[in-house]
Amino acid sequence: MQPNELTLEAQVFDAKINSMDKTCLLAPLSFFDACNVSTDEERLRRMMLLRTRALQLGISEQEYADRRDNYTSQFDADPSYCLKIARMALRRQAMQELGFTPMADVETRQAEYLIEPYLPLDAITILAGVAGMGKTWLALKWAADISTGRATKDGTPGLVYYFTQENDPHIVLSPRLESLGADPENIVIMQQMADTPALTMCDARLDALASRPGCRPSLVVFDPIQSYLEKHANMNQAADVRPMMDHLANFAARYHCAVMLVSHISKPNLSGGSASDRILGSSDFRNAARSIIFVGCDPDDRSLRVFAQDKSSLGPPGPSRKFSIHDGGVEIMDECALTADEILRGSVPSNPRGPEPIVGNRAKALLGEIAKNPGWVKAKKIYADADKEGICQTTMLNALKASGFKQYDYNKGRKGGYTLWYDTTVFPNGFPVQLALEDARA
């Protein structure tokens, strides 16, 4: 056989054989190294060395002969195949020494869920939505059902770590969990003490607790994300966020549990974008999560809430579900076809940005009263009238833009100049300069 990249020099081969134990000596690779030479003389010398070392290690003459005959016959029949196998064996050996694994050794298995398909095990879930939409109620509902076994397939109760900085455990968590029928013995919280460091998502105390007998969690909740970042971490920087998310994902896999991060969302962008784009912080939060669920209003009945799965990396997304919050409890209702984008936009067809705050409606009403006759109003007047009504200038500006008004500057920077806002439905071709002149002369 022609020498190749796996052919060992004589001295290297001799040193390798003389250092081997029984298992390695009788492995196919040892016989390959002996046969993978260019001359019969060198092959015979190496076989003799192999035999001598085998006898030294207490291997019987018969066992050695059987292994030798078996492998050499394979090599002589198809040396190129044996070369291929040897290359593969050496590659595997190198991978093993450095901690790598070929995919051929990775066992295929199905994804598992705590609550299918919304809360995958061994993974991170993000539960997001605007304030007041029921995120915490839904998270507590799931926590309660897990604590009693109502949510598990076999009815076995699970332990829940529920960490929150926004809800008092005495005033909010305890009464809500009680109304939801939770088993409080299976809900773990952490009350911050003055002399203890604040808990973070990567806190070593989580591992210390989870590794204790009977303390492995089924679900870990951080509500909200911002309260449990590592010290000095910037949630908008991928370099800070990714290591935290990787740590959490490894924690979830290590203890075969689900991790849920509760997140607020940003205000909608006028240029559009998906619901997931509104999750606060670096995109690495949503990239690392295997499931993302949004909570919002039912556009047709604002007394109802809806949760919609916007991302499901491990399988088909689950159906959106309506739920109601009443009498201190949560009732999961029918499936629906609403998407995350739809429930975040709200129920007002003319307002794609979602439900208007009350003060925004007041600003629009005031604007309509002031500008409805001429179709325009001086900026100084509208801001002064808004101030009297307790409406800030920013809110008034948003109302002007949302109502289709545009700004016009008359003689800006000159004596007698001023700024006005005009209704584009009244003046579709722009504000007439003549009107501004007449007003200035009046």
Side-chain angles (χ1 to χ4, degrees):
M1 184 173 183
Q2 294 296 321
N4 52 69
E5 80 279 7
L6 299 187
T7 301
L8 299 180
E9 293 183 4
Q11 291 180 341
V12 175
F13 174 84
D14 294 356
K16 181 179 178 181
I17 295 302
N18 287 323
S19 65
M20 283 184 172
D21 58 17
K22 291 182 180 180
T23 303
C24 293
L25 188 74
L26 294 183
L29 190 59
S30 299
F31 290 100
F32 171 82
D33 289 336
C35 296
N36 186 35
V37 290
S38 57
T39 65
D40 292 338
E41 291 81 1
E42 179 60 19
R43 173 172 171 172
L44 179 60
R45 188 192 73 81
R46 295 189 181 196
M47 284 296 182
M48 292 176 64
L49 180 61
L50 264 174
R51 176 179 175 278
T52 300
R53 180 60 178 164
L55 296 177
Q56 288 176 351
L57 293 174
I59 300 171
S60 69
E61 183 81 49
Q62 186 61 49
E63 182 179 3
Y64 168 76
D66 290 344
R67 291 292 186 95
R68 178 201 61 201
D69 294 345
N70 179 56
Y71 189 82
T72 55
S73 62
Q74 292 181 27
F75 185 89
D76 293 337
D78 193 348
S80 61
Y81 175 76
C82 291
L83 177 60
K84 177 182 177 181
I85 296 300
R87 284 176 176 148
M88 187 181 300
L90 289 172
R91 184 172 64 198
R92 282 177 170 271
Q93 182 180 327
M95 290 179 183
Q96 185 176 12
E97 290 173 357
L98 297 173
F100 295 92
T101 303
M103 276 302 299
D105 291 348
V106 177
E107 180 184 358
T108 300
R109 59 185 176 87
Q110 296 297 315
E112 296 181 76
Y113 297 88
L114 191 57
I115 297 179
E116 188 173 2
Y118 307 105
L119 297 183
L121 290 167
D122 308 337
I124 299 170
T125 295
I126 290 179
L127 181 65
V130 296
M133 289 296 103
K135 297 187 299 295
T136 297
W137 270 112
L138 182 60
L140 288 173
K141 164 66 175 171
W142 282 337
D145 288 350
I146 291 164
S147 74
T148 60
R150 293 191 299 263
T152 57
K153 291 181 179 179
D154 60 0
T156 303
L159 188 63
V160 178
Y161 297 177
Y162 200 106
F163 305 120
T164 179
Q165 292 290 344
E166 294 188 341
N167 299 286
D168 187 286
H170 306 283
I171 300 172
V172 178
L173 294 189
S174 181
R176 287 191 183 184
L177 287 169
E178 183 179 354
S179 69
L180 291 166
D183 182 349
E185 192 65 35
N186 288 333
I187 308 286
V188 177
I189 64 170
M190 187 172 194
Q191 293 181 283
Q192 193 62 49
M193 308 298 290
D195 57 346
T196 58
L199 184 75
T200 66
M201 292 190 291
C202 302
D203 204 302
R205 287 171 290 182
L206 294 173
D207 267 295
L209 177 60
S211 61
R212 299 282 181 91
C215 295
R216 184 189 68 81
S218 294
L219 173 66
V220 181
V221 181
F222 295 99
D223 181 7
I225 295 173
Q226 296 94 312
S227 296
Y228 297 95
L229 300 176
E230 292 300 289
K231 189 177 181 180
H232 306 308
N234 185 336
M235 70 181 299
N236 296 304
Q237 294 295 323
D240 290 345
V241 170
R242 196 70 207 199
M244 291 188 292
M245 298 299 280
D246 288 344
H247 178 91
L248 272 184
N250 289 333
F251 179 93
R254 190 159 57 250
Y255 296 106
H256 194 48
C257 67
V259 173
M260 181 193 294
L261 305 179
V262 179
S263 174
H264 298 302
I265 62 175
S266 64
K267 293 180 179 179
N269 191 322
L270 287 175
S271 62
S274 68
S276 291
D277 292 333
R278 294 176 60 185
I279 293 175
L280 296 179
S282 166
S283 60
D284 278 73
F285 281 117
R286 58 182 182 269
N287 293 340
R290 301 296 85 194
S291 172
I292 297 179
I293 302 165
F294 283 92
V295 176
C297 277
D298 180 348
D300 298 321
D301 184 351
R302 294 180 61 79
S303 67
L304 297 179
R305 301 291 184 261
V306 178
F307 66 84
Q309 191 171 25
D310 193 55
K311 176 181 178 180
S312 180
S313 300
L314 305 180
S320 299
R321 298 288 296 268
K322 296 183 181 182
F323 68 98
S324 63
I325 303 170
H326 57 82
D327 300 327
V330 174
E331 179 187 358
I332 305 295
M333 303 169 69
D334 299 334
E335 297 180 4
C336 64
L338 292 168
T339 66
D341 291 320
E342 289 170 340
I343 64 175
L344 294 185
R345 279 200 297 267
S347 61
V348 183
S350 61
N351 177 23
R353 298 187 64 182
E356 290 287 356
I358 294 174
V359 69
N361 289 334
R362 286 174 49 215
K364 285 189 174 183
L366 177 64
L367 175 61
E369 288 299 316
I370 294 174
K372 65 181 179 182
N373 291 326
W376 62 279
V377 62
K378 287 185 177 179
K380 186 176 181 180
K381 175 175 175 52
I382 191 67
Y383 297 149
D385 289 347
D387 185 63
K388 292 177 184 178
E389 296 292 328
I391 301 170
C392 71
Q393 184 171 325
T394 300
T395 300
M396 199 67 240
L397 278 170
N398 289 337
L400 284 160
K401 294 174 181 177
S403 299
F405 278 66
K406 282 190 176 181
Q407 183 176 306
Y408 175 81
D409 295 313
Y410 171 72
N411 279 346
K412 187 175 182 179
R414 299 179 185 178
K415 185 178 180 179
Y418 60 86
T419 297
L420 60 84
W421 288 86
Y422 67 92
D423 189 343
T424 54
T425 61
V426 178
F427 305 105
N429 298 319
F431 190 74
V433 179
Q434 185 61 33
L435 283 179
L437 287 171
E438 292 174 2
D439 179 74
R441 293 178 187 140

